[in-house]
């Protein structure tokens, strides 16, 4: 193994380790805030509002973060994101009288900025340290492990709250992030810096492949969150009669399984020597669309709801994870080497927009039409994503080939 390869593996391990630490605290913080403020007597709508700015600022952050990463390096933006998460956790250590809805929304907005800076930086770094032949595998491991650990974070948040209380849990997460931040200081400077001074306008891609993939990503993640974020948890509790612990545990296990499938996607790919392209995206998205539509039909037809929802969610998770993993690979494959941070930032801006739209639609569709309405909306959004994917390049675009 050459010294360059050793250095690349070391840098990849540092980036991944920091991303893991951040992901654990991000999942734990969401569960911690949800459970703690539920105990304080906040209504479900008030709790939902606490996370609104978290998603809104994710859209802005991905645009600005990509431009910033191209100017100062993605290792620096990763460090800034980790530091901002520490600050957002510290803000919640304030006295209980300070923890009003606007105050906590502001802290969550800062956490949303931190999360998307960290994610954009970590995924851009993989492009810069991985060779073309191993990019699919490395990004799948990073993305899949992140989602699995986010599920673990759900458990961790509840456990820390029960064992150490709200403030003790926050201090434990601050310590974990501080350790991760310290390790990233050993990364080489200037990773991902674009030669010259890129303008903010360059964040918005003029590459058809990236634009098409970003548009498809918007609808793909909107289709997940339109029933997963609000409709599904409320349905499990209100209709199936599950307790809060059962709902949280089930959703955490789903996220962990989803992450495991994401990480395993390169091994499941049946065409060795040929990376996935347009056909894999279109076929996978169309197959995914059939699942929520079939679930909506089954519920409307009066079939037993528990098997339909649990089985459908498990199948949806597997197919969605495969699609998401291929998407995450393609954006890095399409992005030019030295402009990867800007293109990844633009792409995940669409991702954050889809999550925000899905979250809002989930509450509205469930209130008007129930879970069946959420599922139909999910199927429609996935059909739109498949349509937008038809014009993607037939095969992966290399660094030297214009998209």
């Amino acid at each position: 193994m050459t010294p360059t390869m050793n250095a690349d593996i070391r840098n990849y391990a540092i980036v991944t380790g920091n991303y893991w630490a951040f992901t654990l605290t991000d999942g734990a913080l969401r569960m911690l805030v949800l459970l703690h403020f539920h105990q304080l007597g906040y209504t479900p709508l008030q709790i939902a509002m606490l996370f609104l700015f978290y998603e809104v600022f994710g859209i802005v952050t991905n645009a600005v973060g990509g431009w910033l990463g191209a100017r100062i390096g993605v290792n620096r933006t990763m460090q800034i994101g980790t530091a901002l998460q520490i600050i957002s956790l510290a803000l919640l250590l304030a006295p209980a009288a300070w923890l009003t809805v606007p105050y906590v929304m502001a802290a969550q907005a800062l956490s949303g900025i931190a999360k998307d800076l960290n994610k954009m930086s970590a995924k851009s770094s993989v492009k810069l340290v991985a060779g073309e032949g191993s990019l699919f595998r490395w990004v799948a491991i990073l993305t899949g492990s992140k989602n699995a650990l986010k599920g673990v974070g759900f458990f961790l948040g509840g456990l820390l709250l029960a064992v150490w209380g709200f403030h003790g849990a926050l201090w434990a997460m601050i310590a974990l992030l501080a350790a991760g931040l310290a390790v990233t200081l050993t990364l080489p400077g200037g990773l991902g810096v674009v030669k010259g001074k890129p303008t903010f306008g360059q964040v918005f891609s003029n590459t058809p492949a990236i634009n098409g993939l970003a548009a498809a990503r918007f609808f793909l993640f909107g289709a997940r969150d339109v029933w997963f974020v609000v409709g599904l948890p409320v349905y499990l509790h209100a209709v199936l009669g599950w307790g809060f612990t059962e709902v949280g545990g089930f959703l955490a296990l789903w996220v962990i399984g989803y992450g495991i499938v994401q990480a395993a996607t390169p091994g499941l790919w049946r065409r060795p020597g040929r990376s996935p392209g347009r056909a894999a995206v279109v076929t996978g998205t169309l197959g995914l669309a059939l699942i929520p539509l079939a679930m909506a039909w089954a519920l409307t037809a009066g079939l037993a709801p528990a098997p339909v929802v649990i089985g459908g969610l498990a199948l949806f998770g597997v197919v969605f994870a495969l699609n998401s993993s291929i998407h995450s690979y393609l954006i890095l494959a399409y992005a030019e080497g030295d402009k990867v941070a800007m293109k990844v930032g633009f792409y995940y801006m669409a991702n954050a927009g889809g999550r925000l739209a899905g979250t809002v639609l989930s509450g509205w569709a469930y209130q008007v039409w129930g879970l069946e309405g959420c599922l139909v909306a999910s199927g429609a959004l996935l059909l739109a994503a498949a349509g937008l994917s038809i014009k993607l390049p037939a095969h992966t675009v290399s660094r030297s080939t214009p998209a």
Side-chain angles (χ1 to χ4, degrees):
M1 188 175 291
T2 66
T4 300
M5 291 176 64
N6 280 326
D8 285 345
I9 292 173
R10 171 189 170 276
N11 293 339
Y12 176 79
I14 291 172
V15 168
T16 303
N18 182 72
Y19 197 32
W20 284 353
F22 191 99
T23 299
L24 275 173
T25 64
D26 189 55
L29 179 61
R30 176 163 290 241
M31 191 58 60
L32 194 68
V33 168
L34 190 153
L35 294 174
H36 180 67
F37 287 93
H38 172 71
Q39 289 177 333
L40 294 180
Y42 280 49
T43 67
L45 180 59
Q46 287 176 317
I47 293 173
M49 290 298 294
L50 297 178
F51 299 109
L52 180 63
F53 281 177
Y54 178 92
E55 301 293 356
V56 170
F57 278 86
I59 300 173
V60 179
T61 302
N62 277 297
V64 176
W67 168 76
L68 187 63
R71 292 180 71 94
I72 68 174
V74 292
N75 53 337
R76 298 289 177 253
T77 51
M78 181 191 305
Q79 291 157 3
I80 291 170
T82 306
L84 287 177
Q85 181 77 331
I86 292 173
I87 294 171
S88 72
L89 292 170
L91 288 173
L92 295 176
L93 291 169
W98 292 18
L99 300 180
T100 60
V101 170
Y103 182 91
V104 179
M105 285 179 72
Q108 285 294 291
L110 194 61
S111 180
I113 294 170
K115 186 263 293 184
D116 281 292
L117 271 180
N118 199 279
K119 179 171 72 173
M120 180 277 300
S121 303
K123 294 198 174 182
S124 298
S125 298
V126 173
K127 168 76 171 184
L128 297 169
V129 302
E132 292 294 334
S134 59
L135 181 61
F136 188 20
R137 177 168 57 88
W138 282 28
V139 73
I141 292 172
L142 179 73
T143 304
S145 61
K146 182 269 291 186
N147 283 306
L149 284 173
K150 188 170 185 179
V152 175
F154 291 162
F155 285 121
L156 183 65
L159 178 64
L160 290 175
L161 183 63
V163 175
W164 289 341
F166 187 62
H167 281 191
L170 290 171
W171 278 117
M173 291 190 287
I174 287 172
L176 179 62
L177 284 173
L181 177 59
V183 175
T184 65
L185 297 177
T186 64
L187 287 169
L191 192 64
V193 174
V194 175
K195 296 175 182 178
K197 296 294 183 182
T199 64
F200 180 72
Q202 289 177 276
V203 169
F204 300 95
S205 178
N206 58 2
T207 306
I210 293 177
N211 289 336
L213 193 66
R217 184 79 170 192
F218 176 93
F219 287 100
L220 179 69
F221 272 75
R224 182 196 67 177
D225 287 0
V226 75
W227 68 292
F228 188 79
V229 172
V230 176
L232 179 64
V234 172
Y235 184 87
L236 293 175
H237 176 68
V239 178
L240 298 187
W242 291 16
F244 292 124
T245 304
E246 294 172 300
V247 173
F250 177 70
L251 296 181
L253 287 173
W254 186 87
V255 174
I256 292 170
Y258 160 74
I260 291 171
V261 174
Q262 273 192 312
T265 299
L268 300 173
W269 180 245
R270 297 299 183 185
R271 305 182 73 177
R274 186 171 182 180
S275 299
R278 178 180 62 210
V281 176
V282 175
T283 304
T285 309
L286 287 174
L288 185 61
L290 296 177
I291 298 171
L293 294 176
M295 291 174 65
W297 172 84
L299 291 174
T300 304
L303 274 66
V308 170
V309 172
I310 296 172
L313 182 63
L315 183 59
F316 185 90
V318 170
V319 182
F320 184 88
L322 295 170
N323 278 274
S324 177
S325 188
I326 291 172
H327 264 244
S328 295
Y329 159 71
L330 286 177
I331 182 57
L332 296 181
Y334 291 162
E336 302 92 334
D338 66 342
K339 297 184 177 67
V340 61
M342 291 190 291
K343 303 313 177 186
V344 169
F346 169 74
Y347 174 73
Y348 281 105
M349 180 174 64
N351 185 95
R355 289 201 316 265
L356 175 62
T359 298
V360 175
L361 279 174
S362 185
W364 176 73
Y366 187 84
Q367 184 170 325
V368 176
W369 294 302
L371 187 63
E372 294 88 343
C374 295
L375 291 166
V376 170
S378 177
L381 291 170
L382 287 167
L383 291 175
L388 289 165
S389 304
I390 291 174
K391 293 186 177 181
L392 292 175
H395 305 297
T396 301
V397 181
S398 69
R399 289 179 182 171
S400 58
T401 306

